[in-house]
Amino acid sequence: MNGTGRWQGTLILIVALIVLWQILYWIVGDIALRSPWQTLSFTVKLLQKPSFWPHLIETGKAFAAALFFAVALGLAIGMTLGLKRIAGDVFEPMLVALYSIPKVTLYPILLLTFGLGISAKIAFGALHGFIPVSLFTINAVRNVRPIFLKTGRVLRLNRFTMITRIVFPAAMPEIFSGLRIGFSLTMIGTVLGEMFASQKGLGYLLMNAIGLHNVDIIMAITFMLVVFAASMSGLLLAIDRRLHRRV
Amino acid sequence: MKRTGILRILVIAGLIGLLEVLCRVGVIDNFTMPPPSRIAYDLWRILITGKFNAAIAKTFSNAALAFVLAVTIGIAAGVIIHAMRPLREALDPFFATYYAIPVLAFYPLLIILFGLGDAPKIIIAFMLGVVAIIVNTLNGLDRVPRVLLKTARMARLNPIATAIKITLPSATPYLLTGIKFAVAYSLIGIIGSEFVMSTNGIGFEIAFAYNNFDNATMYPLILLVMIVSISINTGLGLWEKMLLSRRGLR
């Protein structure tokens, strides 16, 4: 599909989802749902409230820090395991296993280790995000064409130059796919961490609103999270496709 | 066993041994984590006494229900979407960004809609799993060899016979990939929502034990979840590998 076709498809999809939402609202009614328009106007109102911003900033800070650790750790692990065949074979299935377990059960351990606060959230977000980054990096590094590596060896490049000048640029498109998924999972992890045992952040507001039966807040925050996650993922996906096409 | 397998077991054993030593020596104090041997012993006692049997049964029956729903509806939807080209093109960006969305953020909304019971949890687990099934069904149907479909037409097989004899067997390895994800996601969905807010299930018991500083319950239950999900996933992974290698696909 070409670029404009994809844009049209996305537009149709968004319109269809909004229509579906409106129909659902007509069926369920005001007790448990808000219409798209009501949600949008409440979201705008929420964004103008000064008391809301500390929560948004808290989540943003936790997410940014978690993403930093997820990417740094993921790249380091991926590069190490990708370049060392045996180490990769030993550890890769362990990373895959870690990916598939319900990591939420590990959250209490992080809470006990880091204490109740932003560091536990950051650790939990990073725990989600570093796995895809490392898995994709391992594969990317392994798939670098041997001729590149041989050339590097002939030029007697040291390990650091080898990674920065040859391995990383050659593996970039694939690594970027890992970063894209890592971005999404880090966000999911951060929000999930806030939904349990937290006193600040969007996840906390979301859980707090259940007790207050505040449908407006629930709809507005869910809406914000979904819009942010979907648009960022769409943007990263577009860059990802571009990088892959260039090669 | 291959060398990597032995090395892997040695690494895991080494890590567990290290944790054991750190806990025994006191580098990790017992309020943070009991020694692994103690956790294993506590898990054994919990399983023998059957203290959490109800919670365990609840979690796995909910996960099983969500899984069955995701597989049946997912495969049906996959077949329909595969047959309708424009629908598929419209849904393409949806599938591409779906797993970027924090599905669990919908949980509060579902609690308001359905009340705090099994329904919101099952829906969350279903939502997580169904798209993996749809995407892999589409992938599997795309890869049915054309020549086999032509052969079916030449043998004048009716659509049902074609589906059973040709399409399904060719698509099975890809369906299995989807199923593997759906198993993992249904457990993640159920336990995740139990953990965040619920009144029963393993996830709830872990959260409850955390809130009461009851490490003797919390750690064994975490271990149980890890053992169960890792063994299910490893088993399905091996089966998938077997199917794929028998067809020379991998």
Side-chain angles (χ1 to χ4, degrees), chain B residues 157-173:
Chain B
L157 291 182
N158 59 25
I160 295 169
T162 311
I164 293 172
K165 292 212 165 116
I166 310 279
T167 320
L168 192 61
S170 316
T172 306

Side-chain angles (χ1 to χ4, degrees), chain A residues 89-90 100 105 184 192 207 233, chain B residues 8 97 100 104 196 222 229 233:
Chain A
D89 287 343
V90 170
S100 65
T105 53
S184 306
L192 188 55
M207 293 312 286
S233 153
Chain B
R8 196 174 305 137
T97 49
L104 225 90
V196 166
I222 293 174
S229 52
N233 283 301

Side-chain angles (χ1 to χ4, degrees), chain B residues 137-169:
Chain B
T137 306
L138 289 173
N139 195 12
L141 292 177
D142 282 344
R143 280 154 206 253
V144 177
R146 284 274 170 83
V147 64
L148 291 182
L149 293 175
K150 279 184 192 156
T151 316
R153 234 175 295 152
M154 270 170 41
R156 291 178 190 279
L157 291 182
N158 59 25
I160 295 169
T162 311
I164 293 172
K165 292 212 165 116
I166 310 279
T167 320
L168 192 61

Side-chain angles (χ1 to χ4, degrees), chain B residues 9-199:
Chain B
I9 290 170
L10 283 177
V11 168
I12 294 171
L15 286 175
I16 295 173
L18 182 68
L19 263 182
E20 180 82 30
V21 170
L22 289 179
C23 292
R24 293 278 176 203
V25 170
V27 178
I28 301 175
D29 68 291
N30 278 355
F31 291 108
T32 308
M33 188 180 176
S37 58
R38 177 83 214 174
I39 299 174
Y41 173 73
D42 285 338
L43 175 60
W44 175 247
R45 284 239 343 238
I46 281 174
L47 291 177
I48 291 272
T49 54
K51 195 175 158 201
F52 290 107
N53 279 359
I56 294 169
K58 188 90 205 161
T59 297
F60 288 117
S61 60
N62 276 346
L65 185 56
F67 168 73
V68 169
L69 282 174
V71 170
T72 45
I73 295 176
I75 290 180
V79 170
I80 294 169
I81 294 168
H82 188 258
M84 294 163 76
R85 190 89 214 155
L87 181 63
R88 183 170 179 180
E89 272 171 16
L91 284 174
D92 222 33
F94 178 75
F95 294 143
T97 49
Y98 186 79
Y99 280 104
I101 287 163
V103 171
L104 225 90
F106 284 97
Y107 189 52
L109 189 65
L110 290 169
I111 291 178
I112 298 278
L113 272 171
F114 297 99
L116 192 59
D118 288 341
K121 297 187 254 182
I122 294 170
I123 295 173
I124 288 287
F126 166 79
M127 280 168 76
L128 274 173
V130 71
V131 171
I133 296 277
I134 296 177
V135 169
N136 283 290
T137 306
L138 289 173
N139 195 12
L141 292 177
D142 282 344
R143 280 154 206 253
V144 177
R146 284 274 170 83
V147 64
L148 291 182
L149 293 175
K150 279 184 192 156
T151 316
R153 234 175 295 152
M154 270 170 41
R156 291 178 190 279
L157 291 182
N158 59 25
I160 295 169
T162 311
I164 293 172
K165 292 212 165 116
I166 310 279
T167 320
L168 192 61
S170 316
T172 306
Y174 301 96
L175 290 184
L176 197 60
T177 307
I179 285 173
K180 197 179 70 177
F181 281 115
V183 172
Y185 284 141
S186 50
L187 271 174
I188 290 175
I190 295 289
I191 294 177
S193 35
E194 279 172 356
F195 185 78
V196 166
M197 184 181 262
S198 173
T199 52

Side-chain angles (χ1 to χ4, degrees), chain B residues 195-208:
Chain B
F195 185 78
V196 166
M197 184 181 262
S198 173
T199 52
N200 50 31
I202 301 177
F204 165 75
E205 297 293 351
I206 292 173
F208 189 77

